[in-house]
Amino acid sequence: MTRLEAEPVPRDLVDIGPIESFPVGRLITIEFAGRTIGVIRTGTGIHAIGNRCPHQGGPICRGIVTGTMAPSLPNEYVYEKDGEIIRCPWHGYEFELSTGQSVGGAVRGRVAIYTVEARAGRVYFALRRVPADSA
Amino acid sequence: MRVKVDQMDCTGSGMCELSVPEIFALDAAGLATVRADGLLTGAIVTVDGVAVPAELEDAVRAAAAGCPGACISCHESLWRRAMSGRPLLPLASTRASLKGGDVS
């Protein structure tokens, strides 16, 4: 008899809980290897970010998850990427949750993005940086 | 004194490179690294770090204190630190900023 085996989980991935414990749009912080990591599900996937703002090191995981105003014509207001942006509580700089890049390139550098995956109803995290070009 | 950068926490702001280009540089991935004999150490995190010339020690300490990612660590002999008159433990304000506390 042939039994279908689930895809093996890479060794460095750590189970951090059921996917139900990470509601869409709500950033959950975990402590991992002495670091505070923010894990959030969005409309585009699940992301894990570091807790330091590239501007002055603010605790960005305490910021609000929001969207941002896109460049537009005078008297036009375009709000986009709702739920895909986090705003640092210290100075209000905004960063994309998927890449860590600053919105509009306002700040040099990027928020650290780590590896996180959802598999078979569980969320797995690895303390491994996601390269900027593949984030 | 020896210094090292943990790229796991680096935000790539480039403040260290601006402050002490003789010691720090951003690598191809945009993350800070320490220069050793003119080469970039990249993601290699050595236990001991890279030796810092005496004339650059204060600048490196300032860069570590101002690093947004708090990913620069300096290691020095406690004996040498005591002889230099500096406090043996980081100041309370430095500790608070390293922990990512609120602005006060």
Side-chain angles (χ1 to χ4, degrees):
Chain A
M1 188 174 78
T2 304
R3 196 177 61 170
L4 292 177
E5 295 286 349
E7 189 180 349
V9 176
R11 210 171 267 181
D12 64 340
L13 286 177
V14 175
D15 187 343
I16 56 173
I19 199 158
E20 296 81 29
S21 57
F22 296 90
V24 174
R26 186 170 161 208
L27 191 140
I28 306 291
T29 56
I30 62 171
E31 296 292 326
F32 193 93
R35 296 169 170 87
T36 300
I37 309 287
V39 180
I40 182 170
R41 281 170 67 201
T42 68
T44 58
I46 187 163
H47 311 289
I49 66 172
N51 191 31
R52 308 283 303 198
C53 175
H55 176 226
Q56 287 192 347
I60 199 164
C61 288
R62 294 191 202 167
I64 61 168
V65 177
T66 178
T68 191
M69 300 302 294
S72 58
L73 295 172
N75 301 319
E76 279 187 8
Y77 300 96
V78 180
Y79 180 75
E80 63 178 18
K81 298 184 178 178
D82 189 27
E84 302 288 334
I85 304 291
I86 190 162
R87 185 180 298 152
C88 180
W90 277 9
H91 302 100
Y93 285 108
E94 296 174 336
F95 299 88
E96 298 199 21
L97 286 164
S98 58
T99 64
Q101 299 284 359
S102 167
V103 172
V107 176
R108 188 183 181 195
R110 62 184 188 273
V111 176
I113 302 292
Y114 301 102
T115 301
V116 65
E117 295 178 13
R119 292 168 177 241
R122 307 289 300 181
V123 177
Y124 295 88
F125 171 81
L127 193 62
R128 189 185 337 133
R129 292 289 293 261
V130 177
D133 51 0
S134 63
Chain B
M1 185 178 82
R2 305 182 77 84
V3 66
K4 61 182 178 182
V5 170
D6 187 348
Q7 290 194 333
M8 198 59 71
D9 297 318
C10 180
T11 61
S13 68
M15 298 300 292
C16 55
E17 185 185 37
L18 285 172
S19 305
V20 201
E22 300 89 345
I23 297 293
F24 301 105
L26 296 188
D27 65 11
L31 300 177
T33 181
V34 179
R35 296 180 192 272
D37 297 328
L39 300 174
L40 302 184
T41 53
I44 302 169
V45 180
T46 60
V47 174
D48 296 331
V50 174
V52 177
E55 66 272 19
L56 294 176
E57 287 187 356
D58 286 341
V60 167
R61 281 188 204 98
C67 171
C71 62
I72 301 172
S73 50
C74 302
H75 305 269
E76 56 190 321
S77 152
L78 284 179
W79 171 253
R80 285 192 58 192
R81 191 178 180 94
M83 289 298 100
S84 69
R86 289 189 298 275
L88 291 179
L89 293 173
L91 299 175
S93 57
T94 306
R95 288 202 300 271
S97 70
L98 290 176
K99 288 180 180 175
D102 288 325
V103 175
S104 55

